[in-house]
Amino acid sequence: MNNFKNIFALCILSVLSYACGGSDTTPIEVFDNEAQALIDKDSLSSFFTKHYYDTTVDSVKTLVAGATPLSEDANLKTMNVTENEIDYELYYYIASVEDIGTPTIDKGFPTSLDSIFVKYEGFRINGTDSITPRFEIRETPIWFTLNSVIRGWSYGFTNFKNGDNVTDNGPITFENGGKGILFIPSGLAYGNSGTGGSIRSNENLIFYIRLFDFVKDTDHDNDGIPSWLEDPDGDGDPRNDDTNGDFFVNYLDGDDDGDGVATKDEDANGDGNPANDFSDPNNPTLADYLNPDIN
Ligand SMILES: [Ca+2]
Ligand SMILES: [Ca+2]
Ligand SMILES: [Ca+2]
Ligand SMILES: [Ca+2]
């Protein structure tokens, strides 16, 4: 225990010595993410004037005479996103190809926390002018959960629909579903740090995506409340809610109020939904699973 304390004291000391560094040390530069967001917005806007979507090869290409630039293409949509108090514009293109129809079982659209089943290809945009060779491809579909990927994906995929699973004793096969392109500013991708690998700092990215399926109302902690609804402060972001302050946000916490009774068991009326049980006469609008006085 003493060793542990010493290590802790040392850490405090080193943190302080950094913080108190004199003028002879190089100041730690804080990267200006807000300025970069504006640079990226300009870069992408310029890119869209110089490129078009070529339906014959299903790709973004350098503009040629007679083609409609992406900047004037009605299929290119803008999604406004605020992340860490910085406003971003995320762009997505709904590919208008014949093989994409409405799914038989239409689940609507995934939330930014749902699990998705996708294929994709990723490209970097080099400045405003060129698309670099592909850095990643996934040809067999794979599951991701949108809470743990780059934010451009988390938000971007919420604009695409599921497909139909038509697998028949063969390889997994889907029809219909979401098909399109995400144009992601660096701040919603790998930011100033890049990946240390193929993606450098402050690079905007292009992903060609197919969304085959998703788990509607994904419930990460299996507590009976869909992750996107574990948002007691109601700001639309379940990533900032930690009712009992145990550093596990509610959507990843099976006992949200820390009263020792699992959230799924704070279901007085037994309907499988802990969000509609209010047993505390002194606090009649606070659900039991968020109320440590009720257990
Ligand atoms: Ca919230
Ligand atoms: Ca929970
Ligand atoms: Ca209930
Ligand atoms: Ca409780």
Side-chain angles (χ1 to χ4, degrees), residues 164-203:
D164 293 314
N165 189 343
V166 294
T167 305
D168 184 18
N169 290 327
I172 294 171
T173 310
F174 278 79
E175 287 177 348
N176 304 319
K179 176 171 182 169
I181 309 165
L182 303 177
F183 298 90
I184 304 178
S186 68
L188 297 176
Y190 295 95
N192 183 48
S193 51
T195 58
S198 51
I199 300 167
R200 298 167 202 160
S201 61
N202 309 317
E203 282 192 319

Side-chain angles (χ1 to χ4, degrees), residues 188-261:
L188 297 176
Y190 295 95
N192 183 48
S193 51
T195 58
S198 51
I199 300 167
R200 298 167 202 160
S201 61
N202 309 317
E203 282 192 319
N204 301 326
L205 302 180
I206 296 178
F207 284 96
Y208 293 86
I209 57 130
R210 282 298 309 267
L211 175 60
F212 291 114
D213 201 4
F214 67 92
V215 178
K216 193 170 174 60
D217 296 335
T218 298
D219 180 2
H220 287 86
D221 55 11
N222 288 311
D223 66 357
I225 302 173
S227 294
W228 70 280
L229 291 176
E230 295 217 48
D231 180 30
D233 69 2
D235 69 348
D237 187 358
R239 294 175 300 156
N240 59 13
D241 302 85
D242 179 12
T243 295
N244 63 342
D246 65 353
F247 301 105
F248 287 95
V249 290
N250 285 17
Y251 81 90
L252 299 173
D253 188 346
D255 178 9
D256 294 297
D257 56 9
D259 62 1
V261 179

